[in-house]
Amino acid sequence: MDALTGLLEGPRARGAFMIRACLDPPWAIRVEDRAPLTLMLLVRGEAWIVPDGGESLRLRPGDLAIARGPDPYTCADDPATAPQALILPGGECSYPDGRPLNGVMDLGVRTWGHRPDGGTVVLIGTYQMRGEIGGRLLDALPPLLSLTTDVWDCPLTPFLSEEIVRDAPGQEVVLDRLLDLLVIAALRAWFARPEAEPPAWYRAQADPVVGPVVRLLQDDPAHPWTVATLAAKAGVSRAALARRFTELVGEPPMTYLTGWRLALAADRLRDTDDTIGAIARQVGYGSAFALSTAFKRAYEVSPQEWRTRAA
């Protein structure tokens, strides 16, 4: 398993918010939903994404933007257009003065805006929850990024355009998986750009010594790894591995492994009904007590408190 696969394997869309926005200029929507990650794929027209801080992004047909929450931003036909609607957590929508807007601009199945054949069409997919494994990936991204058609041609646009408005059994699951595929393809393209500055864990996967060690830790976190056994697998000395791993990844091998184990545990506490003891064994701790101690040190709450809050 490579580093990108490992970090994208955990956070999966579950009932993601997906919509086809069809708008006529002038239009502007203020987004304050605090979603961890939102993708916007422009199908027709032109759009701007204006963050509260930083530079605005201009989108043309085929361009993709990714906004990393929870900071708010405005989507508009022009940066000078005043917001006409406000998107809040939970998919709530209102006018800027607070009056409810839910239902007023509904145009059909997952379609919203002024008219179905509006001058601007944007496909929007939003992850509702920040998974702990995905947190390492999200923290590596800028608050706002874009992939333009001159560097990336999205092959999913036609299919997503058709599926997002389809009303069929199991459609929610289909759209969740499409959103996952879109975000993986987009982030892979983002990190592959010549001018990209990928995070240390991503760069490290190309190293002939550290890359295989990272994959070992991610593939089998429950194994009783030591620096000595990892060094033997890599064919180098313990000191050489520790030094090289720390230089490339930014932390020692055992510190990285601890963070990975606890991130896995956090996700399993949220997503499964497994006992804390079972989860402890799955991620490499000998007992529920050992996991609880490490978990509380890192997350400042017990595993049970974490599970309760997530629920």
Side-chain angles (χ1 to χ4, degrees):
M1 181 191 299
D2 62 62
L4 183 60
T5 298
L7 289 170
L8 285 171
E9 194 174 47
R12 290 185 175 143
R14 299 172 180 86
F17 175 78
M18 295 198 74
I19 200 166
R20 179 175 179 263
C22 306
L23 304 157
D24 285 323
W27 61 271
I29 301 166
R30 173 79 172 168
V31 181
E32 297 182 359
D33 62 0
R34 301 187 64 80
L37 196 71
T38 298
L39 280 74
M40 292 159 276
L41 183 59
L42 189 65
V43 177
R44 184 166 69 234
E46 183 174 285
W48 288 81
I49 305 189
V50 185
D52 285 4
E55 297 183 2
S56 300
L57 285 181
R58 184 181 186 181
L59 300 180
R60 296 181 175 86
D63 292 350
L64 174 83
I66 298 179
R68 174 174 60 83
D71 294 340
Y73 54 91
T74 299
C75 298
D77 69 306
D78 185 277
T81 303
Q84 302 150 356
L86 181 64
I87 308 298
L88 299 168
E92 292 296 315
C93 187
S94 71
Y95 291 102
D97 62 8
R99 289 178 295 132
L101 184 56
N102 289 68
V104 175
M105 299 178 69
D106 289 351
L107 298 173
V109 178
R110 300 184 195 87
T111 304
W112 183 89
H114 298 127
R115 57 190 178 92
D117 57 347
T120 301
V121 176
V122 189
L123 307 181
I124 302 168
T126 299
Y127 283 80
Q128 304 290 320
M129 187 185 306
R130 179 185 173 109
E132 282 307 304
I133 299 176
R136 292 192 176 202
L137 178 64
L138 296 177
D139 290 342
L141 300 175
L144 187 62
L145 65 89
S146 68
L147 286 167
T148 56
T149 55
D150 59 330
V151 297
W152 183 58
D153 182 20
C154 178
L156 299 173
T157 303
F159 190 46
L160 186 57
S161 297
E162 292 180 6
E163 291 294 325
I164 201 169
V165 296
R166 191 186 300 275
D167 188 14
Q171 193 63 13
E172 185 177 278
V173 176
V174 171
L175 292 175
D176 282 349
R177 299 291 76 79
L178 277 174
L179 180 59
D180 292 337
L181 183 58
L182 182 60
V183 73
I184 291 170
L187 294 180
R188 186 170 58 185
W190 171 260
F191 287 137
R193 296 169 305 127
E195 72 275 20
E197 296 182 3
W201 54 259
Y202 187 84
R203 295 193 304 268
Q205 68 178 314
D207 185 81
V209 172
V210 176
V213 170
V214 169
R215 289 189 282 276
L216 284 171
L217 298 178
Q218 290 181 336
D219 287 349
D220 191 5
H223 187 82
W225 295 111
T226 64
V227 175
T229 57
L230 291 170
K233 292 282 188 180
V236 297
S237 69
R238 287 179 294 175
L241 175 62
R243 181 175 60 253
R244 193 178 186 94
F245 195 103
T246 303
E247 288 175 354
L248 292 180
V249 179
E251 56 188 356
M254 294 298 100
T255 303
Y256 179 89
L257 176 59
T258 296
W260 180 249
R261 284 172 167 170
L262 294 178
L264 286 169
D267 274 0
R268 292 178 184 180
L269 287 164
R270 185 193 65 222
D271 298 333
T272 75
D273 294 324
D274 293 349
T275 65
I276 295 174
I279 293 173
R281 292 188 294 273
Q282 291 164 14
V283 301
Y285 285 89
S287 67
F289 178 78
L291 172 61
S292 296
T293 300
F295 196 93
K296 192 166 186 178
R297 186 183 303 118
Y299 290 88
E300 299 183 343
V301 295
S302 69
Q304 187 56 54
E305 289 174 299
W306 177 268
R307 169 170 274 171
T308 301
R309 292 183 184 183

